[in-house]
Each structure stands twice: as C-alpha cells, then as structure tokens.
Amino acid sequence: MSAVVTSPVESAATPAQKRWTVAQIEALFALPFTDLMFRAQQVHRAHFDANAIQRSTLLSIKTGGCSEDCGYCSQAARYNTGLEREELMPLGEVLQAARTAKEGGASRFCMGAAWRGPKQKDLDQVLEMVREVKSLGLETCVTLGMLKEGQAEQLKDAGLDYYNHNIDTAPEFYGAVIGTHNQGDRFDTLEKVRDAGINVCCGGIIGMGESRRMRAALIAELANMDPPPESVPINHLVQVEGTPLANAAPLDPFEFVRTIACARITMPNSYVRLSAGRQQMSDELQALCFLAGANSIFYGDKLLTTGNPEADRDRGLLERLGMKAV
Ligand code: SAM
Ligand code: DTB
Ligand code: SF4
C-alpha cells in the first residue's frame, strides 16, 4: 500500500484543510477489499467507538407533489409513482411521531418535506415543529430543499441541530439525474446552513449508474468541504417504479461497501450513515457496512415514502453483532 496515493494533500489555498484528490480516492477504491476494510477500521477506531451506532428516525411532514425532477425520487410530481400527496402535517401529529421515536430509542428526529424550498408561511410552521421536537429532548434535523437568505438563521434560532441537504452525486453526473436545479444551488444552501451555525448533514446516492470515478468524485466533494459535513448519509438507490431510475443497472454490493469505507477514511470525524436501501440488503451486507465504518442508521419502519427494516429486526441485528445503539 503506498502512502503517497492514500494520504490527503495540503491545499495551498487553505493550508488548514486536507484536500483529497479524486485519484487518491480512486486508489482507495482499488485496494484489495480486506486492505480497504482494515484501513477503514483503523481510522474508525481512532475516532469513534467502533461498536456504537447512532439512530435517527425520519418523518415525511409534506409528501409528494414536488416541482423538481430528481430522477430517483418518488415525490416528483412529474413521475407517475402512485404516491399519494399529503399537505404539511399538523404539529400535533408530528409531535406524536416524535414521542414514539424517542420511546423507541432514537436520538435524532429528522423531518423531510418534498419542496424545492420552503415558502415563508410553510417555514413558520416548521420552525414551531423544530421548537417543540427539541423540547422533547431530541436532536432535530430537517430537510426542506433549497433555502433563501435568512431562512437558515430562523431555523438556527428555533433550535435546529442539523440540516440535511445532499449533493447526491459527482458534479459531472448531477445534470444527468436532475435538471430543475444544479449542484451549485445545493452548495449555496449548504453554505447558508454552515454560516448560520447549523450542523451539516450531506451525502449522496450510490447505484444510479455512475462510474467508480464518479463515486470517488462524490466522496472528494464531501471530504473537501471545509469542514466536512458532521453527518454523511450514504444512500443506496431505492428503485421506485415510475421514476427514470426505476431500472438502473444493479450495483455490485461490495462497491457500496467500498464507498462507505472511502467516506470513513476521508472523513474520520463524521458520522457516516448507512441510509436508504437497507431494506433491500441482507444482514451480512449491513454488517460489512458497519465494518467499513458506517456508524449511524435510520431507525423505524419507514424512510420518507419507502420501507426501512422493522425496528425489531434492527434491534436484533445490533444485538447479534454485539453493537450498541447510542
Ligand atoms: N426535497 C428535499 C431535498 O431534495 O433536499 C428533501 C427531501 S429529499 C427526498 C432528500 C434526499 O433523499 C435526496 O437528496 C436523496 O439523496 C434521498 N433520496 C430520495 N429518493 C431516494 C431514493 N429513491 N433512493 C435513495 N435515496 C433517495
Ligand atoms: C437522506 O440522505 N436519506 C433520507 C434523508 N436524507 C432525508 C431520505 C431517503 C429517502 C429514500 C426514499 C424515500 O423513502 O422516499
Ligand atoms: Fe423534490 Fe427533494 Fe424529491 Fe428532488 S429529492 S424531487 S427536491 S423531494
């Protein structure tokens, strides 16, 4: 294993920031599988309890009818996915779901809305949800799409802990998946979130037909953020009937595990979340993802619109692996 190809380089522009080149991350991807797992474990153990898994519960607070054309998404109005649209959920229902999540053991409650971005009157209602969920003693996270000037500050003032906003794929592939906004728009929102002092949750989707080089480029974009996101969701594409990506070519599962390992090695201090797609994975594949350094999952039987393993199954899996939820 060459130290030259696997160590990040100092950037002349920002000396404090270790920058990863796409080629360096490709070199990690190319390592023999067991060497890559070993590297990932070394990094993971130097920064985290390797047997602890953080759990977040998701709730879709506004479902479907979205103006955007993201090629993977069940909630885009323009695709016929059979999804029933739902208006913004009343506060009482959100709080009920948050209480249930807390009783079930989740430490963070993440509320997702199928918007290009929130209108002020919608944001006002979400601010109330954030305040109330926070007062239950849960960490709060929302994912509402692109933010306008001042909106991130309002969320911060309401007590928001994390904002989820994914860059989803490599810059060169983004336009093939999404046409109604560009990746630069996503970076703009991420900057607003960071400037407001909110923790950043940002990751992507694997298995959309991208090349390995593109997977490496996605990880490089994330790792080179200064600082990198506190939380990095790595989603496996959930193929949704009616979307352009419903029949995307299947991905070698080891390639997904390798992507997790590269995220762990390049973002040693970040939580790496094994996100969408777990319902379609075997227990053994999920265990490999934990070995590769994933230390967070979505917990509860639903993601936003698609399924997630039952909470009982997850509790059983963690128990069988001798891992604990935190
Ligand atoms: N509308 C907001 C946005 O786009 O940021 C928030 C909700 S959106 C559903 C949040 C993220 O879910 C997307 O950025 C994408 O990474 C992920 N996602 C959506 N559909 C998915 C699918 N079918 N498979 C895997 N991940 C998916
Ligand atoms: C993230 O990266 N994954 C979550 C969360 N952030 C909001 C969403 C996954 C959605 C999977 C498809 C669905 O259930 O609609
Ligand atoms: Fe809308 Fe978000 Fe789905 Fe894109 S990913 S269609 S912005 S809900």
Side-chain angles (χ1 to χ4, degrees):
M1 197 190 327
S2 152
V4 177
V5 290
T6 54
S7 300
V9 286
E10 298 277 354
S11 151
T14 49
Q17 163 78 345
K18 302 279 186 192
R19 291 193 67 82
W20 286 87
T21 66
V22 176
Q24 284 170 330
I25 299 175
E26 277 187 293
L28 290 176
F29 266 99
L31 287 172
F33 188 77
T34 59
D35 290 352
L36 180 58
M37 291 300 104
F38 183 65
R39 269 293 292 271
Q41 272 290 305
Q42 281 179 313
V43 173
H44 196 181
R45 282 163 191 273
H47 295 86
F48 285 100
D49 173 350
N51 294 304
I53 298 285
Q54 186 274 335
R55 294 179 295 179
S56 295
T57 291
L58 268 176
L59 177 70
S60 182
I61 57 170
K62 186 269 170 182
T63 307
C66 184
S67 63
E68 303 306 281
D69 69 350
C70 309
Y72 45 78
C73 189
S74 63
Q75 306 201 67
R78 65 192 69 202
Y79 308 136
N80 223 329
T81 62
L83 184 72
E84 213 167 296
R85 293 182 191 188
E86 285 166 39
E87 292 308 312
L88 189 54
M89 199 180 264
L91 178 63
E93 281 178 41
V94 174
L95 289 179
Q96 194 45 51
R99 277 188 210 102
T100 306
K102 187 168 186 209
E103 282 156 20
S107 59
R108 189 176 308 158
F109 192 66
C110 180
M111 297 166 269
W115 289 320
R116 175 181 164 87
K119 298 193 181 76
Q120 188 57 45
K121 73 168 179 20
D122 294 325
L123 187 68
D124 288 340
Q125 291 187 62
V126 174
L127 295 174
E128 200 48 39
M129 292 172 191
V130 170
R131 281 186 209 105
E132 295 285 333
V133 170
K134 179 101 178 157
S135 74
L136 297 176
L138 282 159
E139 288 184 319
T140 53
C141 173
V142 296
T143 180
L144 313 172
M146 295 179 283
L147 297 178
K148 293 185 204 60
E149 223 52 67
Q151 292 188 322
E153 285 74 11
Q154 295 180 57
L155 285 162
K156 174 70 182 172
D157 290 346
L160 186 70
D161 296 301
Y162 288 81
Y163 195 86
N164 167 245
H165 199 62
N166 293 338
I167 58 167
D168 280 324
T169 193
E172 63 267 38
F173 195 52
Y174 199 85
V177 178
I178 298 159
T180 46
H181 56 264
N182 60 48
Q183 206 179 45
D185 299 327
R186 305 289 286 187
F187 279 104
D188 286 348
T189 289
L190 289 166
E191 200 177 310
K192 292 187 175 90
V193 169
R194 181 59 81 201
D195 288 350
I198 300 168
N199 291 307
V200 171
C201 172
C202 181
I205 309 179
I206 307 302
M208 299 196 291
E210 75 285 342
S211 63
R212 174 180 275 187
R213 186 178 170 80
M214 291 171 185
R215 286 187 278 281
L218 165 67
I219 299 297
E221 289 292 332
L222 295 166
N224 289 333
M225 288 180 189
D226 189 12
E230 281 73 19
S231 169
V232 180
I234 304 292
N235 295 279
H236 191 298
L237 174 70
V238 178
Q239 298 187 336
V240 178
E241 212 52 59
T243 62
L245 287 172
N247 299 309
L251 179 77
D252 176 357
F254 292 129
E255 194 64 17
F256 185 78
V257 181
R258 284 178 185 276
T259 310
I260 300 253
C262 289
R264 165 51 62 225
I265 292 165
T266 59
M267 291 171 273
N269 294 305
S270 305
Y271 277 85
V272 175
R273 184 171 307 114
L274 172 56
S275 300
R278 283 200 305 119
Q279 199 179 37
Q280 290 74 26
M281 290 177 197
S282 67
D283 290 345
E284 295 86 339
L285 178 55
Q286 293 183 61
L288 279 179
C289 291
F290 297 142
L291 197 64
N295 59 351
S296 167
I297 55 172
F298 284 123
Y299 182 66
D301 58 9
K302 210 170 169 197
L303 292 165
L304 291 174
T305 67
T306 66
N308 197 43
E310 303 285 332
D312 277 354
R313 182 177 158 193
D314 278 343
R315 274 195 290 269
L317 176 60
L318 293 185
E319 200 174 313
R320 284 162 67 211
L321 297 175
M323 299 181 89
K324 56 181 180 293
V326 291

